[in-house]
Amino acid sequence: MGLTLEADRGLDDDVDLPRAQVFYSQFPYVVGYYGVDTFLATEDSPGHDEQFGYPLSVLVTDYAGTDVTIGEDGYPRAGGESGWIDAETAWYVTDSEAETPQGDAILAFSDRDDAESFADAHDGTVRSWTDLLVQPFEPGDPTVVRDSVDDHHAGADAIVENRSALRERPVSTVVGEDADTIQEAIDDAPANTTVEIPAGEYDETLEIDEPITLLGDGDVTIRGDGNGTVITTTADRTALIGLEVTGSGSERQGEEPLPGEQANDWDDVFEVNYAGGDAGIGAHTADEVLIEDVTVHSSASGVIVRRGDAPVIRDVTVFSPENPNEGQAGLLLFHAPGVVENSTVEDGRDAIYSHRSHGLTVRDNHFDGNRLGVHLMHTSDTLIADNEFRNQETAGTFVMTGPENIAIVDNDVRDASIGIIPAGDEAYVANNVIVGGDVGLQIDSQNSLIEHNVLVGNGVGASEREMLPTNQVVRNDFVDNDVHATAGSGPLRIWTHDGVGNYWQGAGSLTPGSTVDRSYTATAAVDQRLHRTDGALTLSRAPALDAMDGFQGSVPGMRERSIADLSPTCEPNNPDLLERADALEAAWSCDLTGSSVDPESEREATAAAHQIRDS
């Protein structure tokens, strides 16, 4: 914990970040933390002792005798091999010049003289373990990502508005009047002007190396010869507007280093393989490109933007090869943070593939019949909002390689094998409608906030796969799923925060109010069947089950691989979203005890439950 996979992979081999490893009384695994402060913040978080037990032993990185230095990046580098020391006996240097990718570093020393020497050299303060325990350390806060969504939209609006000027460039050259071919017109046109292309079909392969606007006047089709990319630009502020593009080559992957690049390390090779293939449109090392009102019939990738800052792709339609194995990506962005909006991709391998495009915005798009809808690799600080996903073979949105600060909000996902897969640190997943998948939400993230989603008619509503229970999952609605939620290895996950949990169809209630009068364990055999089996609500009130539930709740670690909602809500939290999912009527409120059986059966079950309780 404490460092994203993305940040970890970005460290040089000689960096020696401070770590802690903790052995808990009721957790069978050693938990590692990047940063002593990460452990201290986590230990103070709600439910920590109930989930892990108490720390039996805390060991921290010992920098004594290692001649530790600080590099230009602020990260500590030990001259010798660092060992481990009991946290209670160490001396800590805080507030120094040392840093980690997450913030200020706290370095521990077994020898106080070494600690004093390091503090004097790097403007630090020496503290004991007791001193540290009274310092405030705040855990990562995913609400920061929630609060940044509006700002992210505003930033994307500003980028789109900036590109509007590219539509207004004066026409300098008209194909057929001032030049015989489009390429001749491009070569003749002064920079920052428009090449106008009259309606018609043009068999050409084009290269653009100056900032111009290529504008179709009517139905304009540009057809390549089946080799390579049809339109390639290497110029900043190129605009391609009002075109239909077809006839690209079918090579999905490149083999040679791209212009200006050398394939030396893994990332370079990855770039060649993905961004070096054929496309309808390829923008390479070109900043602030606009691609608008364009249709691409793809034989490999539709649009590739590589190493270009702030591209805008809007009102673009990509028809990919029907066989996903023959295509690459509808829209491929490689080191290209920008805006993709109001676009459609059908039948692609990946509708959108992003690699290291930190700050990307993907909004108001339609994806149908792809293998993956939005596929993020090594891409942090991204907003995926207001998109429609239909019939994605593998997943609607798949976040990989441990990024941070991903917001996935207001999307409508139907009939995907897996609806949304968040990963990394501090993701914000909210206000999504996820219907009819094998798994609605597969949670691979940590320190994340997952709220106000509706999961309807899925095989599994939500699957919690992150081992450590660091996510807040609240105010979601689970309706008509075969199983509302499952959990992988790890301790009890408590899906309640500040006294509020989630709505679970069938959780039931015997007492009117805003919350159900018993906790709901989504992974328990009886609770899983409350909305599926007549009489399960009555069985859930059996004294033996109540006794076992109380025992498990009082002994840390007893609910291994479990999800418990301590305050399930009595009525749906998101009726508007449920209505959009055609599931509002199925989401019965607690006045009918929340079960999916008919009211008369519910009254009989409630009466029987009262008898069991009273006896």
Side-chain angles (χ1 to χ4, degrees), residues 507-524:
S509 177
L510 299 177
T511 304
S514 60
T515 60
V516 179
D517 64 343
R518 63 183 293 270
S519 63
Y520 178 83
T521 304
T523 48

Side-chain angles (χ1 to χ4, degrees), residues 70-103:
I70 298 177
E72 293 182 0
D73 51 15
Y75 302 157
R77 288 166 167 81
E81 186 174 351
S82 58
W84 296 97
I85 184 176
D86 189 323
E88 295 183 3
T89 65
W91 297 96
Y92 299 88
V93 177
T94 65
D95 309 313
S96 74
E97 298 167 345
E99 297 179 357
T100 74
Q102 306 297 81

Side-chain angles (χ1 to χ4, degrees), residues 357-567:
S357 297
H358 306 303
L360 178 67
T361 302
V362 179
R363 62 185 185 184
D364 298 300
N365 301 288
H366 180 83
F367 307 115
D368 195 346
N370 304 282
R371 185 194 67 160
L372 293 172
V374 177
H375 186 184
L376 300 186
M377 291 280 285
H378 302 283
T379 298
S380 296
D381 302 304
T382 292
L383 174 63
I384 302 171
D386 299 290
N387 302 286
E388 285 188 351
F389 298 86
R390 297 292 184 269
N391 307 303
Q392 308 304 300
E393 179 184 341
T394 300
T397 294
F398 194 0
V399 179
M400 297 181 66
T401 60
E404 57 187 347
N405 303 335
I406 305 293
I408 306 173
V409 299
D410 302 310
N411 300 285
D412 192 309
V413 186
R414 312 283 176 120
D415 302 318
S417 180
I418 303 175
I420 296 174
I421 308 176
D425 260 21
E426 297 181 18
Y428 178 58
V429 183
N431 303 308
N432 299 288
V433 174
I434 308 175
V435 179
D438 295 331
V439 177
L441 182 63
Q442 178 176 297
I443 304 172
D444 292 345
S445 58
Q446 57 186 7
N447 302 315
S448 297
L449 177 57
I450 299 167
E451 64 176 2
H452 292 296
N453 302 283
V454 300
L455 300 113
V456 176
N458 303 284
V460 175
S463 175
E464 169 71 90
R465 303 208 314 174
E466 176 60 32
M467 175 176 284
L468 299 179
T470 59
N471 299 311
Q472 293 179 24
V473 184
V474 294
R475 297 182 176 86
N476 303 286
D477 295 334
F478 294 82
V479 175
D480 200 31
N481 304 290
D482 291 342
V483 175
H484 285 327
T486 62
S489 297
L492 169 68
R493 286 84 164 179
I494 297 176
W495 283 8
T496 309
H497 187 69
D498 288 340
V500 179
N502 303 273
Y503 176 75
W504 309 88
Q505 178 201 25
S509 177
L510 299 177
T511 304
S514 60
T515 60
V516 179
D517 64 343
R518 63 183 293 270
S519 63
Y520 178 83
T521 304
T523 48
V526 173
D527 283 9
Q528 282 184 349
R529 291 167 172 77
L530 293 181
H531 64 301
R532 292 293 183 193
T533 306
D534 293 354
L537 180 62
T538 303
L539 179 60
S540 71
R541 300 290 173 167
L545 291 182
D546 284 343
M548 180 59 71
D549 185 64
F551 174 67
Q552 290 178 334
S554 64
V555 179
M558 281 295 292
R559 286 194 177 114
E560 183 80 3
R561 297 175 180 249
S562 291
I563 295 170
D565 188 338
L566 306 182
S567 300

Side-chain angles (χ1 to χ4, degrees), residues 2 11 56 75 96 101 115 126 134 191 209 246-247 265 308 354 377 379 413 598:
L11 296 174
L56 294 172
Y75 302 157
S96 74
V126 177
V134 298
D209 58 7
T246 188
D265 59 22
S354 167
M377 291 280 285
T379 298
V413 186
D598 65 89

Side-chain angles (χ1 to χ4, degrees), residues 166-400:
L166 305 185
R167 306 186 200 104
E168 308 302 326
R169 285 168 166 162
V171 175
S172 64
T173 311
V174 177
V175 177
E177 295 179 10
D178 304 309
D180 292 334
T181 66
I182 301 174
Q183 187 63 58
E184 289 177 1
I186 291 170
D187 295 339
D188 293 345
N192 299 308
T193 64
T194 293
V195 171
E196 184 177 290
I197 308 172
E201 296 186 2
Y202 300 82
D203 295 331
E204 296 192 52
T205 299
L206 307 177
E207 294 187 3
I208 303 171
D209 58 7
E210 281 195 299
I212 63 169
T213 295
L214 210 59
L215 175 65
D217 181 17
D219 294 331
V220 173
T221 300
I222 301 174
R223 180 180 292 103
D225 60 5
N227 295 294
T229 296
V230 181
I231 303 175
T232 301
T233 180
T234 55
D236 295 346
R237 295 184 71 79
T238 299
L240 306 174
I241 303 172
L243 307 172
E244 184 170 2
V245 181
T246 188
S248 71
S250 58
E251 291 296 327
R252 295 194 298 115
Q253 297 183 330
E255 297 179 356
E256 301 296 331
L258 294 163
E261 306 296 332
Q262 293 183 347
N264 294 324
D265 59 22
W266 173 87
D267 207 44
D268 293 334
V269 172
F270 205 74
E271 182 171 350
V272 169
N273 286 343
Y274 272 72
D278 298 335
I281 296 171
H284 297 271
T285 64
D287 293 339
E288 300 184 359
V289 166
L290 171 65
I291 303 172
E292 183 175 38
D293 188 22
V294 168
T295 298
V296 179
H297 299 271
S298 168
S299 300
S301 289
V303 177
I304 295 175
V305 182
R306 180 185 69 89
R307 294 191 180 273
D309 185 51
V312 171
I313 301 172
R314 64 193 314 264
D315 297 312
V316 169
T317 299
V318 177
F319 297 104
S320 301
E322 291 187 9
N323 183 350
N325 294 324
E326 295 177 359
Q328 185 71 292
L331 306 172
L332 192 153
L333 298 105
F334 217 102
H335 293 272
V339 181
V340 179
E341 65 179 17
N342 302 323
S343 295
T344 298
V345 181
E346 296 185 1
D347 299 325
R349 181 181 177 88
D350 296 353
I352 293 181
Y353 177 89
S354 167
H355 187 97
R356 299 196 191 282
S357 297
H358 306 303
L360 178 67
T361 302
V362 179
R363 62 185 185 184
D364 298 300
N365 301 288
H366 180 83
F367 307 115
D368 195 346
N370 304 282
R371 185 194 67 160
L372 293 172
V374 177
H375 186 184
L376 300 186
M377 291 280 285
H378 302 283
T379 298
S380 296
D381 302 304
T382 292
L383 174 63
I384 302 171
D386 299 290
N387 302 286
E388 285 188 351
F389 298 86
R390 297 292 184 269
N391 307 303
Q392 308 304 300
E393 179 184 341
T394 300
T397 294
F398 194 0
V399 179
M400 297 181 66

